[in-house]
């Protein structure tokens, strides 16, 4: 119990008396005293910056005497060089335009040579006709806050550094992926006498290794082999299968170029490698051989398909038809899988087109609910029948580009054709 | 990109009058000219714009490489002049913009017919026999200080500038504030400004030139104004009874009178 007095018998009233005492103490705290000893700096300056009034708190922070400041110094004289420039380029113009400004971070110089971070707010006082008379400025001690902000800045810089590092890592990874991807495809196709070839590879995403593959290579000086296929799945696991597939087919073909034999060897290798791994992997593929006949200019094609979409033959007469290979099984799923064979002969102006289902399954239509499909592809091929392989591939590349977002799978194209003009016939009149 | 949109170009005043281009300096944007425009609109076609990296210019157009030299900013000026097909325009540049105007004049002499330099400085750092007002250390401190100033500044401004969908009230606030600048772009402008040296360029200025200086200017002291006046052939120097670096804001009547007198003399 406190402050009970004899004049006030009712104990309930003693609280009011205590408040009165406190209020009296506050009232003795004159406006001058409040100004001088406020927990922030106060400063008033003429419009040219000359300091007209300053409180004791701010003088204490500056370690300056009132006489040295009032009428002698400008507000900018209290600032560091950087602060001065900031004041002139930001603070003063904004204050002039807005009439007030708040929360600006500046450093004030202390006479001992130190500097003190502060937050400054200011407002212009206007005369009765609207002319600016003076500037009132409030200065808050921001030492703790600035330290905290600098810590935040350090963290931000560290985060920025980490982000840059992550970007660099990502770029390196993409480069590595691109190199790996290159290793899965031939750099260039070998020249074949009397035959033209062209290929195109579209990767659905630069971040992912593709699962499509193709190749053309010589067999025995006369004949050449070619293949094109599609490994199930994407990414590194699919790429590993692609690599195994490519080199297995090349090796198998050198041993026995019969298309069924080559695919059967691949089937055995894939099945043995993956069937028991808990992660079965398989592919679809067309493998074939080319037998150019230098006397006729014709090229005999023998091929076999394991579950792959049928190849298209574009004829010099402007027709195009699928070369059906029904019933061939996926390569690598079951031991002893059967593959379907087909043969054809390419004469001058004919082109054989191999492709993966990224092309025929591209989504089309306004809402991309349709698939491009076999018939549309055949129709497209008819329009380009009779043209050389690179023109056909170029046209198809344009078609793929036109699918835009609708093309969401990897796509490989390989075209093999006999030039329409054919090799120049031997002229018996020419010696040699 | 459309230059008019890119540089937030505003055209006001008399469409039949001679063109006057008002170019802001480092630290603000075309709002700096709010007290100058009323004095010009009756007689002149007044063109205002924001440099890329300042004000409401298109932020995506910013390139640190381009804007690391005054010529990058001068290209903004030339491209704005080309977009509006200005010829012999009077170019009024505040602070570093006065030097940007000189560079732009060299690039496209047919576009600029007169220069008004408001508080110009061709070099801020003291050099052998030249006093720009700052030591190299001062400028280093300024750049470091800008960093920390922008820290406090960006605490208030950056969330608005960067677009903060969680705090739509900040975007609203931005619409009502002047001179909002992305701190990273402002740092580039600061370096370009305070490390530039355009003293040699002044000699080749061959158009009527008015140099406006203030009696008390921390950034462009009077001896710098005298140097510019001495170096630009045939230039006129007017010393305004004004304090600070922005006489067009602190002493608008005197500044406007000097500019309009000079422009009237060109006609």
């Amino acid at each position: 119990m406190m402050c009970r007095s004899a004049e006030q018998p009712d104990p309930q009233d003693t609280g009011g008396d205590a408040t009165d005492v406190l209020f009296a103490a506050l009232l003795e705290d004159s406006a001058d005293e409040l100004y001088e000893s406020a927990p922030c700096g106060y400063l008033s300056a003429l419009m040219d910056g000359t300091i007209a009034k300053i409180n004791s708190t701010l003088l204490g922070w500056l370690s300056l005497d009132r006489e040295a400041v009032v009428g002698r110094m400008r507000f900018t004289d209290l600032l560091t060089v950087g602060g001065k420039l900031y004041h002139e380029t930001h603070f003063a113009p904004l204050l002039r335009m807005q009439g007030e400004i708040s929360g600006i971070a500046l450093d004030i110089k202390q006479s001992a040579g130190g500097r003190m971070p502060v937050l400054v707010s200011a407002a212009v006082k206007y005369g009765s006709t609207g002319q600016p008379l003076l500037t009132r400025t409030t200065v808050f001690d921001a030492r703790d806050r600035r330290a905290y902000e600098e810590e935040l800045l350090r963290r931000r810089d560290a985060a920025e550094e980490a982000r840059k590092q992550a970007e660099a890592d990502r770029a390196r990874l993409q480069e590595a992926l691109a190199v790996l991807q290159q290793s899965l495809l031939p750099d260039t196709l070998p020249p074949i006498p009397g035959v033209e070839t062209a290929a195109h590879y579209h990767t659905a995403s630069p971040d992912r290794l593709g699962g499509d593959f193709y190749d053309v290579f010589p067999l025995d000086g006369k004949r050449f082999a070619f293949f094109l296929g599609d490994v199930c799945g994407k990414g590194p696991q699919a790429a590993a299968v692609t690599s195994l597939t490519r080199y297995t087919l090349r090796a198998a073909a050198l041993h026995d170029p019969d298309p069924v034999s080559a695919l059967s060897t691949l089937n055995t290798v894939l099945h043995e490698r993956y069937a028991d791994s808990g992660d079965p992997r398989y592919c679809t593929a067309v493998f074939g051989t080319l037998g150019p006949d230098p006397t006729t200019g014709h090229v005999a094609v023998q091929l076999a398909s394991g579950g792959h979409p049928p190849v298209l033959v574009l004829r010099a007469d402007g027709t195009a038809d699928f070369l059906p290979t029904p019933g061939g099984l996926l390569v690598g799923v079951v031991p002893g899988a059967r593959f379907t064979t087909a043969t054809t002969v390419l004469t001058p102006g004919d082109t054989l087109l191999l492709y993966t289902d990224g092309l025929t399954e591209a989504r089309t239509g306004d809402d991309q609910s349709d698939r491009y499909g076999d018939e549309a592809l055949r129709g497209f091929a008819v329009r380009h029948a009779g043209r050389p392989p690179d023109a056909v591939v170029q046209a198809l590349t344009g078609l793929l580009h036109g699918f835009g977002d609708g093309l969401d799978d990897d796509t490989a194209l390989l075209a093999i054709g006999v030039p329409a003009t054919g090799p120049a016939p031997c002229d018996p009149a020419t010696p040699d | 990109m459309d230059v008019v949109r890119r540089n937030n170009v505003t055209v006001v005043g008399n469409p039949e009058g001679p063109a006057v281009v008002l170019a802001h300096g480092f630290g603000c944007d075309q709002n700096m000219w709010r007290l100058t425009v009323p004095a010009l609109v009756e007689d002149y076609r007044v063109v205002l714009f924001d440099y890329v990296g300042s004000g409401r210019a298109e932020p995506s157009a910013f390139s640190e490489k381009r804007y690391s030299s005054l010529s990058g900013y001068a290209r903004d000026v030339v491209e704005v002049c080309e977009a509006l097909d200005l010829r012999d325009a009077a170019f009024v540049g505040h602070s570093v913009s006065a030097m940007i105007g000189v560079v732009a004049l060299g690039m496209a002499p047919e576009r600029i017919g007169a220069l008004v330099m408001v508080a110009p400085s061709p070099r801020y750092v003291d050099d052998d026999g030249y006093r720009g007002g700052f030591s190299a250390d001062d400028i280093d401190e300024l750049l470091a200080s800008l960093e920390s100033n922008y820290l406090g500044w960006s605490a208030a401004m950056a969330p608005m500038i960067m677009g903060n969908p969680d705090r739509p009230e900040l975007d609203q606030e931005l619409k009502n504030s002047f001179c909002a600048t992305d701190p990273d772009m402002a740092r580039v402008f600061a370096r370009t400004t305070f490390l530039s040296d355009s003293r040699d360029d002044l000699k080749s200025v061959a158009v009527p030139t008015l140099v406006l200086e203030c009696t008390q200017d921390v950034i462009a002291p009077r001896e710098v104004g005298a140097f510019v006046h001495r170096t630009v052939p045939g230039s006129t120097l007017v010393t305004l009874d004004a304090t600070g670096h922005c006489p067009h804001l602190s002493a608008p009547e005197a500044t406007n009178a000097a500019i309009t007198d000079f422009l009237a003399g060109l006609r």
Side-chain angles (χ1 to χ4, degrees):
Chain A
M1 207 59 70
M2 51 177 285
C3 299
R4 178 179 290 185
S5 87
E7 286 80 13
Q8 293 175 315
D10 186 348
Q12 300 300 319
D13 287 349
T14 53
D17 185 49
T19 309
D20 288 347
V21 172
L22 288 170
F23 262 90
L26 272 172
L27 288 171
E28 281 168 23
D29 191 9
S30 70
D32 278 351
E33 170 65 12
L34 190 59
Y35 177 84
E36 289 298 338
S37 306
C40 63
Y42 283 125
L43 174 151
S44 301
L46 306 181
M47 291 315 290
D48 71 357
T50 309
I51 295 170
K53 202 174 173 190
I54 184 169
N55 77 344
S56 304
T57 307
L58 185 50
L59 285 170
W61 288 344
L62 295 163
S63 318
L64 287 174
D65 292 332
R66 195 177 302 272
E67 295 71 35
V69 175
V70 173
R72 291 171 185 274
M73 293 177 85
R74 295 172 199 276
F75 176 54
T76 48
D77 294 331
L78 309 181
L79 304 175
T80 58
V81 176
K84 273 192 183 73
L85 283 161
Y86 192 79
H87 180 274
E88 293 300 319
T89 52
H90 292 78
F91 190 99
L94 277 171
L95 180 59
R96 283 284 184 160
M97 286 193 285
Q98 301 181 149
E100 61 180 18
I101 189 168
S102 64
I104 301 302
L106 294 170
D107 284 0
I108 55 173
K109 285 188 295 191
Q110 296 175 301
S111 63
R115 54 172 60 197
M116 175 174 160
V118 292
L119 280 175
V120 179
S121 295
V124 176
K125 178 187 171 153
Y126 297 95
S128 54
T129 58
Q131 79 279 23
L133 293 179
L134 56 87
T135 305
R136 291 169 173 152
T137 304
T138 315
V139 181
F140 292 96
D141 181 353
R143 282 174 285 204
D144 289 349
R145 179 182 160 144
R146 189 72 59 85
Y148 173 63
E149 285 176 346
E150 277 166 7
E151 182 57 27
L152 285 181
L153 188 65
R154 267 194 292 278
R155 299 276 178 89
R156 190 198 69 178
D157 290 348
E160 177 66 11
E161 194 52 42
R163 191 186 62 76
K164 281 184 182 156
Q165 184 61 46
E167 269 183 9
D169 289 350
R170 190 163 181 275
R172 234 184 7 252
L173 195 60
Q174 274 194 355
E175 198 186 318
L177 287 177
V179 170
L180 274 178
Q181 180 75 65
Q182 286 302 312
S183 79
L184 301 179
L185 297 170
D187 278 345
T188 53
L189 299 178
I192 306 174
V195 173
E196 288 178 342
T197 54
H200 175 73
Y201 193 87
H202 166 85
T203 316
S205 159
D207 292 352
R208 290 190 305 190
L209 290 165
D212 289 1
F213 59 89
Y214 64 84
D215 205 352
V216 177
F217 54 97
L219 284 174
D220 51 16
K222 289 182 204 149
R223 287 184 301 170
F224 287 77
F226 62 89
F227 59 80
L228 176 142
D230 183 357
V231 165
C232 75
K234 288 189 174 49
Q237 291 85 358
V241 183
T242 307
S243 180
L244 179 60
T245 298
R246 181 178 181 206
Y247 295 106
T248 299
L249 282 176
R250 285 190 77 128
L254 291 179
H255 180 66
D256 179 356
D258 172 62
V260 170
S261 170
L263 286 182
S264 296
T265 302
L266 176 63
N267 185 71
T268 305
V269 168
L270 287 183
H271 186 259
E272 284 183 355
R273 167 67 183 78
Y274 289 104
D276 297 330
S277 70
D279 179 26
R281 293 275 163 181
Y282 55 88
C283 69
T284 68
V286 170
F287 179 96
T289 56
L290 302 171
D293 181 341
T295 54
T296 61
H298 295 184
V299 177
V301 179
Q302 280 192 305
L303 59 80
S305 170
H308 197 82
V311 303
L312 263 168
V313 187
L314 289 65
R315 297 295 181 189
D317 64 4
T319 61
D321 287 294
F322 289 106
L323 185 59
T325 42
L329 293 176
L330 297 171
V331 187
V333 176
V334 292
R338 296 179 61 85
F339 303 108
T340 313
T341 59
T343 59
T344 188
V345 174
L346 302 178
T347 57
D350 293 350
T351 293
L352 183 73
L353 174 67
L354 295 86
Y355 57 91
T356 54
D357 61 6
L359 170 59
T360 44
E361 300 204 346
R363 287 176 286 110
T364 59
D366 289 342
D367 56 356
Q368 298 198 334
S369 58
D370 295 336
R371 300 288 179 178
Y372 183 64
D374 294 345
E375 268 318 296
L377 176 61
R378 201 185 68 82
F380 189 89
V382 166
R383 290 197 292 283
H384 295 277
R387 303 181 66 194
D390 58 345
V392 173
V393 166
Q394 202 175 346
L396 283 166
T397 305
L399 176 71
L400 292 176
H401 190 70
F403 289 140
D405 291 345
L407 183 62
D408 51 10
D409 199 1
D410 300 325
T411 306
L413 303 172
L414 175 62
I416 298 165
V418 180
T421 49
C426 287
D427 185 347
T430 308
D432 173 43
Chain B
M1 184 186 296
D2 174 23
V3 170
V4 170
R5 220 193 81 211
R6 184 191 71 183
N7 288 99
N8 188 27
V9 175
T10 317
V11 182
V12 293
N14 182 349
E16 307 300 320
V20 177
V21 180
L22 302 179
H24 69 85
F26 164 70
C28 198
D29 57 31
Q30 59 185 275
N31 280 296
M32 288 287 267
W33 301 107
R34 62 211 325 245
L35 303 181
T36 314
V37 170
L40 299 173
V41 285
E42 198 172 317
D43 296 327
Y44 298 96
R45 183 182 180 208
V46 182
V47 177
L48 298 135
F49 70 98
D50 297 336
Y51 287 110
V52 171
S54 301
R56 291 182 178 283
E58 176 56 44
S60 66
F62 187 80
S63 129
E64 181 162 350
K65 187 161 177 283
R66 168 165 170 160
Y67 294 103
S68 289
S69 77
L70 292 187
S71 61
Y73 293 93
R75 275 167 61 196
D76 276 20
V77 172
V78 172
E79 285 158 11
V80 167
C81 288
E82 285 170 353
L84 301 178
D85 196 26
L86 306 182
R87 284 177 195 280
D88 292 326
F91 179 89
V92 183
H94 172 228
S95 193
V96 68
S97 250
M99 296 308 134
I100 293 171
V102 170
V103 178
L105 176 64
M107 286 178 179
E110 73 283 5
R111 301 285 174 192
I112 297 172
L115 288 177
V116 177
M117 302 180 167
V118 183
S121 174
R123 180 176 164 95
Y124 297 89
V125 185
D126 296 339
D127 194 11
D128 194 23
Y130 174 84
R131 220 179 84 74
F134 298 92
S135 68
D137 286 348
D138 287 342
I139 297 298
D140 284 347
E141 194 210 302
L142 158 72
L143 295 172
S145 158
L146 271 174
E147 187 84 21
S148 76
N149 275 314
Y150 271 118
L151 184 60
W153 192 242
S154 62
M157 304 294 283
M160 306 180 218
I161 294 156
M162 290 163 184
N164 201 325
D166 301 338
R167 301 183 65 190
E169 74 278 9
L170 291 179
D171 285 338
Q172 186 56 43
E173 224 173 297
L174 178 65
K175 292 191 179 75
N176 298 323
S177 61
F178 304 110
C179 308
T181 301
D182 180 299
D184 289 332
M185 300 181 195
R187 257 194 301 275
V188 173
F189 199 3
R191 287 196 74 84
T192 307
T193 297
F194 291 107
L195 298 177
S196 65
D197 185 354
S198 307
R199 287 174 294 174
D200 284 347
D201 300 333
L202 295 176
K203 295 174 201 153
S204 57
V205 172
V207 296
T209 300
L210 170 66
V211 181
L212 292 179
E213 62 169 8
C214 300
T215 46
Q216 289 283 344
D217 183 348
V218 176
I219 296 188
R222 291 200 57 185
E223 48 196 304
V224 171
F227 176 88
V228 174
H229 170 49
R230 200 165 62 235
T231 314
V232 176
S235 61
T236 307
L237 177 69
V238 172
T239 306
L240 299 163
D241 184 17
T243 315
H245 188 54
C246 304
H248 46 319
L249 287 171
S250 63
E253 292 86 2
T255 307
N256 293 347
I259 294 175
T260 51
D261 282 356
F262 172 75
L263 293 177
L266 299 171
R267 304 180 77 172

